[in-house]
Amino acid sequence: MAWFKREKKPIENPTPVDERRVRTEGLWMKCNSCRAIIWKKDLEENWQVCPKCEHHFRLGARRRLELLLDDAHYTELDAELASNDPLHFNDTKAYSQRLHDAQKKYGMKDAIITAEGSLEGRPVICCSMEFGFIGGSMGAVVGEKVARAIERSMETRRPLIIVSCSSGARMMEGAVSLMQLAKVAAALARLDEARIPYISLLTDPTTGGVTASFAMLGDLNIAEPRALIGFAGPRVIADTIRQKLPDGFQTSEFMLEHGFLDAIVPRKELKAYMSQALNFLAGPA
Ligand SMILES: [Zn+2]
């Protein structure tokens, strides 16, 4: 008998591998920047910023308002405004069904929340986009809510903040969504004449018709680090101009270097930065 040799089968693990995986599923995630394994709760408490490498993950519309507004308190404006599917659009799924599903999942009628609240004691109007809601796309409702928020800003003389996170115009509403660009831009021109400050914050990603309208029209256009910002996607541009695009093309850093942005501000410094900027633009609160 070879006493040093294991003759019996090794003890089997009572839990099959598949089941073991299921137990921790959803609690941990891998940072796609530094590849560290992060506990989701840590990430949540850190406002979706990687505690190891400061990578900024996407932040939901409501969390964004909680981050920026005092005591995480705000009053929602026009919360009941909803799309009536003007084109009765169908692709792989009916647009009405898409809307219904997103409304149920996010507890909001469309891809933006417009709200009144205070930022370090100063009353402001703050709009925050939800990327999860059909790619944060801008249809008639998003356009109308932004236009109304601008009007509200003029009535109350409160500074305006819009946090963009969007894939652009909503194709399911066709030309109706494109008309929002002009409507919002005209409203912002009136806000400018009334000399009320507007801060635009671009977050990852801000593209298409949203970049082409209100996101780039701020008195101050700021962005979060490493955010994707652009109009058309890089593949479309490369195919059109038939040139290799430079490294880091369409990131906040590239945009800042080329004069499209005024500053890049890390998420945790945003509130203090905006407060200071508003003190400068509109006088102390
Ligand atoms: Zn990381």
Side-chain angles (χ1 to χ4, degrees):
M1 189 195 84
W3 56 269
F4 51 85
K5 215 173 177 183
R6 194 192 293 272
E7 288 186 327
K8 287 182 191 161
K9 276 189 183 170
I11 300 165
E12 271 182 31
N13 194 306
T15 332
V17 177
D18 289 350
E19 280 179 38
R20 263 183 283 157
R21 262 196 212 124
V22 171
R23 268 188 212 165
T24 52
E25 194 187 35
L27 291 178
W28 300 85
M29 64 174 285
K30 196 182 213 174
C31 170
N32 32 23
S33 178
C34 69
R35 311 226 150 252
I37 305 290
I38 333 161
W39 197 24
K40 274 195 182 169
K41 201 158 171 268
D42 283 345
L43 196 64
E44 180 60 32
E45 278 167 10
N46 206 29
W47 299 99
Q48 302 292 332
V49 175
C50 172
K52 305 259 162 57
C53 74
E54 299 282 303
H55 176 75
H56 286 48
F57 290 89
R58 214 164 278 154
L59 191 65
R62 290 190 196 281
R63 284 290 281 164
R64 175 71 65 180
L65 291 172
E66 288 167 14
L67 170 78
L68 294 177
L69 300 175
D70 296 347
D71 308 320
H73 177 79
Y74 56 89
T75 313
E76 228 181 300
L77 305 167
D78 304 305
E80 291 309 308
L81 221 56
S83 174
N84 58 2
D85 185 11
L87 304 180
H88 302 292
F89 194 87
N90 272 292
D91 48 275
T92 50
K93 202 177 182 183
Y95 175 43
S96 55
Q97 187 62 44
R98 250 180 230 288
L99 275 172
H100 178 80
D101 294 349
Q103 285 166 349
K104 210 169 144 196
K105 186 169 175 193
Y106 292 96
M108 47 204 276
K109 296 280 182 197
D110 216 299
I112 195 166
I113 302 174
T114 55
E116 279 181 328
S118 297
L119 188 144
E120 296 201 348
R122 177 195 299 275
V124 293
I125 304 286
C126 189
C127 310
S128 174
M129 301 189 81
E130 174 59 61
F131 192 81
F133 196 110
I134 318 185
S137 52
M138 173 172 63
V141 173
V142 170
E144 182 61 23
K145 281 177 90 167
V146 172
R148 288 188 190 186
I150 297 167
E151 274 161 19
R152 183 100 185 122
S153 182
M154 273 188 281
E155 276 162 30
T156 56
R157 296 203 64 84
R158 291 174 171 213
L160 175 72
I161 297 163
I162 302 180
V163 183
S164 297
C165 187
S166 172
S167 55
R170 186 172 295 170
M171 61 155 205
M172 296 85 156
E173 292 189 18
V176 177
S177 69
L178 291 180
M179 285 171 201
Q180 308 310 313
L181 278 73
K183 180 168 75 181
V184 171
L188 282 174
R190 289 198 297 276
L191 188 75
D192 186 48
E193 278 162 25
R195 304 185 71 78
I196 297 165
Y198 160 39
I199 297 178
S200 172
L201 169 65
L202 294 86
T203 67
D204 182 68
T206 299
T207 59
V210 168
T211 312
S213 62
F214 58 82
M216 284 293 183
L217 291 175
D219 294 305
L220 203 58
N221 297 326
I222 59 176
E224 288 191 331
R226 303 286 307 164
L228 171 77
I229 297 165
F231 179 60
R235 193 167 40 90
V236 175
I237 299 172
D239 285 352
T240 309
I241 63 173
R242 296 181 187 283
Q243 274 179 38
K244 197 179 169 287
L245 297 169
D247 286 339
F249 178 68
Q250 291 188 327
T251 57
S252 322
E253 289 71 14
F254 190 89
M255 293 290 163
L256 181 71
E257 206 183 312
H258 291 80
F260 286 96
L261 289 176
D262 297 305
I264 294 174
V265 186
R267 194 167 287 164
K268 277 179 231 159
E269 294 165 26
L270 274 173
K271 190 171 177 178
Y273 183 94
M274 285 183 179
S275 172
Q276 201 183 6
L278 290 175
N279 283 342
F280 178 76
L281 294 167

